[in-house]
Amino acid sequence: MPNIAVFCDFDGTITEKDNIINIMKEFAPPEWEEIKNKILSQQISIQEGVGKMFSLLPCSLKEDIIKFTLDNGKIRTGFQEFVDYLKKENIPLYIVSGGIDFFVQPVLEKYGPFEAVYCNGSDFSGETIKILWPHSCDDECENSCGCCKPSIMRKLEAGDTYKIVIGDSVTDLEAAKQADLVIARDLLIEKSKEMNLNYHEFETFYECIDILKNVNGVSL
């Protein structure tokens, strides 16, 4: 059996929709959309853009945002079974998220424990929400990712680890480039095709279980 590790995105992957976008639509003033568009067109970095978007929100909204995310952050079908399957097979599951700790952790709490959860931090000591970056880019990355997924993978992986990345967006692409196998949906499918990466498509985590059962000839 190969030495396998799974690195899984959160927003739009574990959850069916992107929580940051949903939070901004619900709570932020209209100027958040211009910031979002600048991120997507790569005029500004993810780190700069996410920081600016959350700075539009007063700290007094913290509990309202947590409740909103718990009420609306629908988990993709089969996720609990996927977590249980990896635990049974002793395959580490690392959650690597560009989301923010104060809403990522409450959503994930009942599904763990995980090998580790990596996401951005938050500071509510001022008037508006300040985002902290405990997992920023290493010397090999210059993208100002915020939570830098490829840097986390480089820190954790052993040389012989068979690395599986599960994600949905361009924010997962740099991690996908380092993976032995990508399990993709939405925009990451297109990018995986363009980059000629080794990938499978998925919609539910039941499909992810089936894909893992066949990794490198593993029969489980």
Side-chain angles (χ1 to χ4, degrees), residues 7 46-47 94-102 104-105 115-122 131-156 171 175:
F7 300 86
I46 295 169
Q47 183 168 335
Y94 301 98
I95 309 299
V96 284
S97 171
I100 318 303
D101 58 355
F102 78 98
V104 171
Q105 290 167 355
E115 195 73 23
V117 177
Y118 296 90
C119 61
N120 299 312
S122 52
I131 304 304
L132 307 175
W133 316 101
H135 309 295
S136 52
C137 302
D138 63 16
D139 292 340
E140 294 184 49
C141 184
E142 298 178 348
N143 292 322
S144 294
C145 299
C147 181
C148 184
K149 299 179 184 187
S151 297
I152 291 166
M153 290 173 67
R154 280 190 286 270
K155 182 175 72 172
L156 293 172
T171 56

Side-chain angles (χ1 to χ4, degrees), residues 9-205:
D9 175 50
F10 176 72
D11 283 294
T13 301
I14 294 173
T15 58
E16 292 195 351
K17 295 184 178 178
D18 189 299
N19 292 287
I20 291 179
I21 297 298
N22 283 351
I23 288 166
M24 292 300 146
K25 286 179 177 177
E26 182 72 14
F27 296 102
E31 53 261 40
W32 80 270
E33 293 213 42
E34 183 182 351
I35 301 170
K36 176 201 71 174
N37 291 336
K38 285 183 177 179
I39 297 172
L40 294 176
S41 62
Q42 298 180 304
Q43 293 178 60
I44 60 175
S45 69
I46 295 169
Q47 183 168 335
E48 181 182 353
V50 170
K52 282 184 173 180
M53 285 196 294
F54 276 93
S55 73
L56 300 172
L57 303 177
C59 289
S60 59
L61 287 174
K62 179 181 179 180
E63 295 305 321
D64 292 335
I65 293 171
I66 293 171
K67 183 179 186 305
F68 173 80
T69 308
L70 287 170
D71 290 344
N72 294 278
K74 187 178 179 184
I75 297 295
R76 190 169 298 280
T77 301
F79 179 63
Q80 183 65 71
E81 290 83 352
F82 181 67
V83 173
D84 295 343
Y85 166 78
L86 293 180
K87 184 176 181 181
K88 178 169 70 78
E89 300 301 334
N90 294 313
I91 297 172
L93 172 57
Y94 301 98
I95 309 299
V96 284
S97 171
I100 318 303
D101 58 355
F102 78 98
F103 66 80
V104 171
Q105 290 167 355
V107 172
L108 286 176
E109 189 173 12
K110 68 178 182 178
Y111 296 98
F114 308 102
E115 195 73 23
V117 177
Y118 296 90
C119 61
N120 299 312
S122 52
D123 178 354
F124 290 87
S125 63
E127 288 188 9
T128 61
I129 301 173
K130 181 181 179 182
I131 304 304
L132 307 175
W133 316 101
H135 309 295
S136 52
C137 302
D138 63 16
D139 292 340
E140 294 184 49
C141 184
E142 298 178 348
N143 292 322
S144 294
C145 299
C147 181
C148 184
K149 299 179 184 187
S151 297
I152 291 166
M153 290 173 67
R154 280 190 286 270
K155 182 175 72 172
L156 293 172
E157 69 191 37
D160 62 344
T161 300
Y162 189 90
K163 300 175 290 298
I164 298 174
V165 166
I166 306 176
D168 74 308
S169 179
V170 288
T171 56
D172 301 304
L173 183 57
E174 293 304 315
K177 290 176 184 176
Q178 290 188 196
D180 296 289
L181 174 66
V182 181
I183 306 178
R185 56 175 308 279
D186 203 30
L187 192 57
L188 189 59
I189 294 173
E190 296 174 31
K191 294 297 180 183
S192 296
K193 286 178 183 175
E194 288 174 15
M195 301 293 296
N196 199 30
L197 301 178
N198 179 28
Y199 79 97
H200 289 283
E201 300 179 17
F202 84 104
E203 274 301 321
T204 76
F205 277 96

